């Protein structure tokens, strides 16, 4: 057997801090490493594998489309792209869609669209208000939008036109708004920032302010969308509708896809303004279509809501037992345990040993974002492993 991790050391850019396992196979909520060890996967490709690994519906769509038509470019009409666009529009409050290849790219599109809107309707306003602790991607503009120093510092100077304010503080958004502002961009729950849940009224207050000022509300639902919070989109739980929404991650069931959605009045791009060679190609859209249709047809968001509650009940028992658990955060199947100390990395390694994949979203917090098709039994198994790992720690 090759030592794959040595190959990584030699040939791959030193960008990613990986766990010391090489995954070779997946099925449902389980993955196996190159030595045959099985893991329960509560990372799900960073909230991507919404239907778990190698779901038959995903595999069928991918293989059938691979035999039919893989790529054409956007110079032509293709069927899966338009079917998926229709399904997204019919199941959201948005009117139009543009497909790209990742979350960051969807947000780049949202930023460009908001700037076009600013030029056309807001006297050239171009500034976008985002929040501290947010994460919007790794391209230069999305790094500039991301409210985290560690992502910005290595790349200064960054593109101009972004202002950051505290999350969950609509007054701060009001104070930062000027005649340069064209949009506010927020996540319904901050994912990479640590699974930070704002007050229930926050998004509504931001919506009211955007309406008052005539500026756009962009919701980055790349992590929260496609069922993850227990509704198809997070905004549904907050009684607001965005002007622009971005989705990615769980939409493709594992294949790379991003979607930029907008209300009619905000869909101001004209031919030539934006584009993508690969974006929306038949292979990816057929797979996205099968994934999204399965999620909608089987009312997976409702199931996620139940599973989230079940998981939280179990977490509460752990919190009562271990005094280093400070907090339970999140909704649906985007959950986190916050600790009194920076112990997340050691816990991740201990869980790995016990056959559970979890993510250290912060030095003092573990994030759980399992496939949306897990069962109560999987949740019990994860809680059991956490109990074992936490018990060892408190001895
Ligand atoms: N926006 C949010 C809220 C995210 O969580 C992420 C990725 O974690 C991104 C944007 C960037 O997505 P991608 O990594 O697909 O570019």
């Amino acid at each position: 057997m090759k030592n794959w991790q040595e190959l990584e050391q030699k040939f791959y850019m030193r960008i990613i801090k990986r766990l010391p396992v090489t995954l070779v196979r997946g099925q449902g909520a389980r993955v196996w490493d190159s030595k045959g060890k099985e893991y329960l996967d509560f990372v799900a490709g960073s909230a991507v594998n919404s239907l778990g690994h190698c779901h038959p519906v995903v595999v069928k769509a991918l293989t059938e489309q691979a035999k039919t038509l893989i790529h054409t470019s956007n110079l032509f009409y293709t069927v899966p792209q338009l079917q998926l666009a229709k399904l997204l529009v019919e199941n959201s409050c948005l009117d139009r869609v543009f497909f790209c290849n990742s979350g960051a790219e969807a947000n780049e599109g949202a930023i460009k669209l908001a700037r076009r809107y600013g030029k056309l309707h807001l006297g050239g306003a171009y500034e976008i208000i985002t929040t501290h602790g947010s994460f919007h991607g790794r391209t230069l503009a999305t790094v500039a939008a991301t409210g985290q120093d560690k992502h910005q510092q290595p790349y200064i100077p960054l593109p101009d036109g972004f202002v950051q304010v505290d999350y969950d503080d609509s007054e701060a958004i009001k104070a930062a708004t000027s005649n340069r502002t064209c949009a506010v961009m927020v996540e319904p729950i901050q994912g990479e920032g640590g699974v930070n849940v704002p007050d229930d009224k926050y998004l509504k207050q931001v919506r009211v302010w955007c309406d008052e000022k005539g500026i756009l509300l962009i919701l980055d639902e790349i992590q929260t969308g496609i069922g993850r919070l227990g509704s198809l989109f997070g905004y549904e739980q907050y009684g607001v509708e965005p002007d622009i929404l971005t989705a990615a991650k769980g939409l493709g069931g594992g294949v790379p896809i991003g979607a930029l959605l907008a209300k009619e009045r905000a869909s101001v791009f004209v031919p030539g303004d934006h584009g993508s060679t690969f974006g929306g190609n038949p292979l990816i859209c057929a797979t996205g279509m099968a994934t999204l249709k399965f999620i909608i047809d089987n009312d997976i968001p409702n199931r996620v809501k139940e599973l989230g509650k079940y998981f939280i009940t179990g977490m509460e028992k752990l919190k009562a037992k271990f005094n280093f658990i400070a907090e339970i955060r999140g909704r649906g199947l985007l959950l986190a345990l916050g600790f009194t100390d920076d112990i997340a990395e050691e816990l991740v390694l201990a869980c790995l040993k016990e056959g559970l994949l979890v993510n250290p979203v912060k030095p003092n917090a573990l994030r759980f974002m399992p496939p949306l098709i897990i069962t109560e039994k999987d949740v019990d198994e994860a809680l059991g492993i956490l109990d074992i790992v936490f018990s060892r720690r408190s001895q």
Side-chain angles (χ1 to χ4, degrees):
M1 192 193 305
K2 275 203 179 69
N3 189 334
W4 298 107
Q5 288 165 38
E6 262 173 30
L7 289 190
E8 201 260 10
Q9 289 281 312
K10 199 161 171 202
F11 297 114
Y12 211 77
M13 284 201 191
R14 295 192 189 91
I15 293 171
I16 307 154
K17 202 169 156 208
R18 302 184 205 248
L19 288 171
V21 280
T22 306
L23 299 178
V24 294
R25 189 164 69 86
Q27 195 64 53
R30 314 268 153 178
V31 285
W32 287 264
D33 71 13
S34 51
K35 293 178 184 143
K37 184 174 157 94
E38 179 180 320
Y39 303 86
L40 178 58
D41 183 4
F42 272 38
V43 174
S46 203
V48 164
N49 299 93
S50 43
L51 303 188
H53 295 273
C54 302
H55 191 286
V57 156
V58 175
V59 173
K60 183 165 180 271
L62 194 50
T63 49
E64 279 185 4
Q65 191 59 45
K67 287 187 234 157
T68 310
L69 185 67
I70 294 177
H71 180 81
T72 59
S73 90
N74 282 305
L75 296 170
F76 309 95
Y77 296 91
T78 51
V79 178
Q81 179 185 96
L82 301 170
Q83 286 175 325
L84 182 56
K86 181 170 180 279
L87 191 65
L88 274 169
V89 166
E90 286 174 351
N91 287 280
S92 72
C93 66
L94 292 311
D95 302 312
R96 289 186 184 274
V97 182
F98 173 77
F99 291 115
C100 51
N101 310 288
S102 68
E105 227 185 293
N107 282 339
E108 280 277 341
I111 292 162
K112 287 169 76 177
L113 188 58
R115 287 192 178 194
R116 286 298 282 131
Y117 187 89
K119 265 200 204 312
L120 286 167
H121 298 300
L122 300 169
Y126 62 92
E127 225 167 61
I128 299 180
I129 299 172
T130 67
T131 59
H132 295 304
S134 61
F135 185 81
H136 298 296
R138 303 276 192 174
T139 62
L140 274 180
T142 56
V143 163
T146 289
Q148 297 191 51
D149 254 12
K150 68 174 182 193
H151 293 302
Q152 293 195 337
Q153 283 307 325
Y155 302 107
I156 283 171
L158 291 166
D160 198 8
F162 297 91
V163 180
Q164 268 103 40
V165 300
D166 282 348
Y167 189 55
D168 196 14
D169 184 348
S170 54
E171 291 304 315
I173 289 176
K174 290 182 188 174
T177 305
S178 71
N179 57 9
R180 291 184 304 276
T181 311
C182 67
V184 175
M185 176 158 149
V186 288
E187 298 157 80
I189 288 178
Q190 286 185 338
E192 301 303 302
V195 188
N196 306 318
V197 183
D199 188 274
D200 277 351
K201 292 193 223 78
Y202 176 58
L203 284 188
K204 211 161 211 171
Q205 289 162 347
V206 178
R207 175 73 272 179
V208 168
W209 178 249
C210 287
D211 286 343
E212 208 173 306
K213 290 286 151 189
I215 58 181
L216 300 175
L217 174 59
I218 306 170
L219 285 186
D220 177 345
E221 292 237 27
I222 283 154
Q223 190 150 152
T224 56
I226 320 297
R228 174 87 19 212
L229 299 188
S231 48
L232 193 58
F233 294 101
Y235 72 77
E236 296 166 35
Q237 299 186 31
Y238 294 95
V240 298
E241 293 191 353
D243 303 297
I244 297 174
L245 179 144
T246 51
K249 291 192 182 280
L251 176 59
V255 297
I257 188 167
L260 165 66
L261 294 99
K263 293 267 196 197
E264 190 64 50
R265 75 176 183 96
S267 296
V268 293
F269 281 150
V270 294
D273 276 356
H274 193 51
S276 170
T277 297
F278 292 113
N281 89 15
L283 186 72
I284 300 304
C285 286
T287 313
M289 178 73 191
T291 305
L292 185 63
K293 194 167 175 324
F294 185 91
I295 288 173
I296 293 167
D297 289 351
N298 292 282
D299 198 9
I300 300 284
N302 216 19
R303 185 71 191 118
V304 168
K305 201 183 284 172
E306 284 168 19
L307 283 160
K309 282 187 191 145
Y310 185 81
F311 201 170
I312 287 174
T313 306
M315 285 178 168
E316 275 161 359
K317 287 186 193 141
L318 291 176
K319 184 168 180 283
K321 189 166 166 189
F322 301 104
N323 60 9
F324 54 84
I325 302 178
E327 212 182 1
I328 299 162
R329 303 195 287 265
R331 269 193 191 193
L333 288 176
L334 180 58
L335 298 171
L337 283 175
F339 304 108
T340 50
D341 296 299
D342 290 353
I343 54 172
E345 295 225 353
E346 74 178 67
L347 292 174
V348 166
L349 288 172
C351 286
L352 189 71
K353 249 191 180 152
E354 297 300 322
L356 174 68
L357 304 185
V358 289
N359 170 253
V361 69
K362 290 253 143 196
N364 66 353
L366 286 184
R367 177 173 45 165
F368 307 91
M369 42 188 168
L372 308 182
I373 46 84
I374 55 162
T375 61
E376 279 80 0
K377 217 164 146 246
D378 295 323
V379 174
D380 288 343
E381 190 179 329
L383 288 165
I385 293 175
L386 291 172
D387 196 345
I388 291 170
V389 165
F390 293 168
S391 298
R392 268 192 216 131
R393 204 182 174 276
S394 52
Q395 271 164 13

